[in-house]
Amino acid sequence: MPRDLSGEKYRGPEVLRRDQVDGTTTDQRLLDDKGSAAWLHTDPWRVLRIQAEFVEGFGSLAEIGPAIGVFGSARTPEGHPSYAQAEEVGRKLVAAGFAVITGGGPGAMEAANKGASEAGGLSVGLGIELPFETGLNQWVDKGINFRYFFARKTMFVKYAQGFVVLPGGLGTFDELFEALTLAQTGKITSFPIVLVGTTYWQGLLAWLRDTVLADGKISAADLDRLTLTDDVDEAVRLMVEASAKGGRSRQGGQPGEPGEPGEPGEPSSP
């Protein structure tokens, strides 16, 4: 027999029936509620916060021009060879016409931002809320702090034209392997990834080659996406060459392809 839908209620895109039907409206709860702020921590509200992070990130970074992401350990102390190397990377990327984007933290990130800022270029930091790091480093000229890793990581791959990866830990590995996965699956193209520090990275590459590739879990082309070097000039040159060959535009599209509707400088559909 037909179900009794006399208790049916529509609440936006939701359909509520039987014991799910409440006796109030959303407007009523909004205007009447003077009590607990627990709603700030519910999933629907988080969706709005996530949306706001994407809007803020897109709006802030859309016009930074060609940029390279530089990654490395937050635990690299000033005076360490990797710190000086990160400064050199930031400085030489700016000299080559790029902005520099880092995670905005201390260590190698700070060094890359310092090199970029002191060279007169744009030094960008995309920070993240963490229990053990405090804010953006002093060399960030344009900074955004994110609550959500996935929103932050989208900004790295959308607005960088390549990655230079210095010795680092889990966060650095995360960015490295995400970029490799996105390149392997065709989500990003013309995206050079350079590992700086042969002594540090060669063990990882040997494992990928001798174990992962040998067992058929990846292809040789996947490893070819990585370049290992100790030469900062070579790392920068590879970024310049990829850009000259027609790498991704700053809005993330391919040469000759229209941007997404509504992006700055692109026509929107009516």
Side-chain angles (χ1 to χ4, degrees):
M1 58 182 298
R3 291 178 297 167
D4 179 10
L5 300 181
S6 59
E8 184 175 79
K9 174 182 177 179
Y10 288 84
R11 185 171 64 191
E14 292 181 285
V15 179
L16 306 175
R17 291 171 179 156
R18 291 172 286 280
D19 60 352
Q20 293 298 305
V21 176
D22 54 30
T24 62
T25 68
T26 303
D27 282 339
Q28 179 184 351
R29 291 191 298 275
L30 172 66
L31 298 174
D32 283 353
D33 187 8
K34 304 294 191 295
S36 170
W39 59 274
L40 284 169
H41 308 291
T42 62
D43 285 342
W45 183 252
R46 289 190 183 102
V47 170
L48 296 180
R49 281 181 168 167
I50 291 165
Q51 175 180 287
E53 292 209 339
F54 279 106
V55 170
E56 183 67 26
F58 292 158
S60 181
L61 301 175
E63 297 180 347
I64 66 172
I68 301 297
V70 180
F71 298 96
S73 176
R75 304 182 187 190
T76 302
E78 191 170 358
H80 191 280
S82 290
Y83 191 100
Q85 198 167 44
E87 277 193 68
E88 184 183 4
V89 168
R91 185 171 61 251
K92 289 186 174 179
L93 284 172
V94 165
F98 295 107
V100 170
I101 307 176
T102 80
M109 294 175 282
E110 175 188 284
N113 285 131
K114 179 181 179 182
S117 183
E118 289 187 334
L122 179 57
S123 173
V124 180
L126 306 182
I128 185 69
E129 180 183 8
L130 294 175
F132 46 79
E133 288 181 21
T134 55
L136 298 171
N137 69 69
Q138 63 177 320
W139 297 102
V140 170
D141 300 321
K142 178 186 281 287
I144 309 172
N145 272 307
F146 291 87
R147 285 186 175 91
Y148 299 101
F149 264 117
F150 52 84
R152 176 184 185 242
K153 289 163 74 174
T154 298
M155 301 306 150
F156 279 122
V157 297
K158 181 171 176 61
Y159 292 105
Q161 295 184 327
F163 286 170
V164 175
V165 187
L166 293 143
L170 295 180
T172 303
F173 302 159
D174 181 46
E175 297 292 350
L176 167 61
F177 281 103
E178 180 180 48
L180 278 174
T181 301
L182 292 172
Q184 180 199 55
T185 54
K187 301 298 184 182
I188 53 174
T189 58
S190 303
F191 198 88
I193 305 170
V194 179
L195 304 177
V196 177
T198 56
T199 300
Y200 190 84
W201 294 111
Q202 62 188 357
L204 173 63
L205 292 184
W207 175 74
L208 289 172
R209 180 183 63 251
D210 299 337
T211 300
V212 186
L213 176 62
D215 202 35
K217 300 299 187 294
I218 59 174
S219 68
D222 297 325
L223 287 182
D224 290 342
R225 302 179 193 279
L226 293 170
T227 299
L228 177 62
T229 185
D230 287 315
D231 187 349
V232 171
D233 289 327
E234 181 184 6
V236 173
R237 176 179 57 79
L238 290 169
M239 300 297 153
V240 171
E241 289 177 354
S243 180
K245 288 177 182 176
R248 304 183 316 154
S249 72
R250 66 171 175 260
Q251 277 130 1
Q254 299 303 315
E257 294 181 353
E260 297 173 6
E263 287 186 331
E266 299 293 344
S268 297
S269 301

